[in-house]
Amino acid sequence: RFDSLNVSFRYDRGAVYLDSLHGTILNGCRIEGYGDLNTAARPEAYRLTARVDSFDLNNLVFNSFRSDLSGQMIMAGRGLNSQTMALDFDLDLAESYFDIYHCHHAAGQMTVTTGGLHFFPGFEVDYHDNRFVFDGGLEYKGQMDITGRADLPQLADFVHQTFIDLPAGRATADFGL
């Protein structure tokens, strides 16, 4: 859904080149960027380089995860239907929310399909001064296979968020979920 989008584009031999686009799409996501769409390729191929604010993945991939993502993204996608669609992202996000999780910064590469997410090695998420570096997969139906390392210099940042009501101190941990 395009709420209010301004686009400057060119068409040549089955490809649409989006020289610039800015506005609001997908129920309130503000976007500014450029990209292209090759409808002659099978499956179709598209790219987007953009700054987004308030991007909700669930508005693009139905039955995925509610989110409120803001920051820079480079996306290379293929396929326009649920059987062939795959979106490869290189992200550099500012403060954002993903499902029930809050982060202050996230960066790395991931692939989004209609079945789930795959995080490539070295994907980083910062919550206050705490850093999680991980890779693996997360299906929308709940299955996950994620491994990584957590560097937690301020456990007090997690007050009332875990089974330990008032954590304190610092920690590092390797994890597998």
Side-chain angles (χ1 to χ4, degrees), residues 57-102:
L57 179 62
N58 198 57
N59 286 329
L60 183 63
V61 180
F62 302 111
N63 299 315
S64 59
F65 293 110
R66 294 265 177 221
S67 58
D68 185 350
L69 308 177
S70 297
Q72 291 292 129
M73 69 168 53
I74 299 171
M75 181 198 67
R78 57 202 170 277
L80 295 174
N81 63 52
S82 61
Q83 288 77 33
T84 60
M85 188 191 81
L87 309 172
D88 299 321
F89 285 97
D90 190 347
L91 300 171
D92 187 5
L93 301 176
E95 185 170 9
S96 296
Y97 293 85
F98 188 80
D99 197 35
I100 62 170
Y101 303 100
H102 178 205

Side-chain angles (χ1 to χ4, degrees), residues 76-135:
R78 57 202 170 277
L80 295 174
N81 63 52
S82 61
Q83 288 77 33
T84 60
M85 188 191 81
L87 309 172
D88 299 321
F89 285 97
D90 190 347
L91 300 171
D92 187 5
L93 301 176
E95 185 170 9
S96 296
Y97 293 85
F98 188 80
D99 197 35
I100 62 170
Y101 303 100
H102 178 205
C103 72
H104 291 97
H105 180 254
Q109 296 177 330
M110 66 184 282
T111 295
V112 174
T113 67
T114 56
L117 310 173
H118 176 77
F119 299 95
F120 288 90
F123 197 91
E124 298 179 355
V125 173
D126 295 337
Y127 178 69
H128 294 287
D129 293 325
N130 305 284
R131 175 164 286 178
F132 303 85
V133 180
F134 57 92
D135 63 89

Side-chain angles (χ1 to χ4, degrees), residues 2-70:
F2 302 105
D3 301 325
S4 173
L5 185 65
N6 296 304
V7 180
S8 173
F9 68 93
R10 298 173 284 122
Y11 179 82
D12 184 31
R13 298 183 193 132
V16 177
Y17 299 93
L18 307 172
D19 297 321
S20 69
L21 59 98
H22 66 277
T24 305
I25 61 173
L26 302 171
N27 294 321
C29 172
R30 292 173 304 285
I31 187 168
E32 183 173 344
Y34 60 91
D36 60 72
L37 167 64
N38 184 348
T39 58
R42 291 294 175 254
E44 301 82 353
Y46 37 95
R47 293 178 298 173
L48 175 68
T49 300
R51 162 91 185 140
V52 296
D53 290 301
S54 299
F55 172 66
D56 184 349
L57 179 62
N58 198 57
N59 286 329
L60 183 63
V61 180
F62 302 111
N63 299 315
S64 59
F65 293 110
R66 294 265 177 221
S67 58
D68 185 350
L69 308 177
S70 297

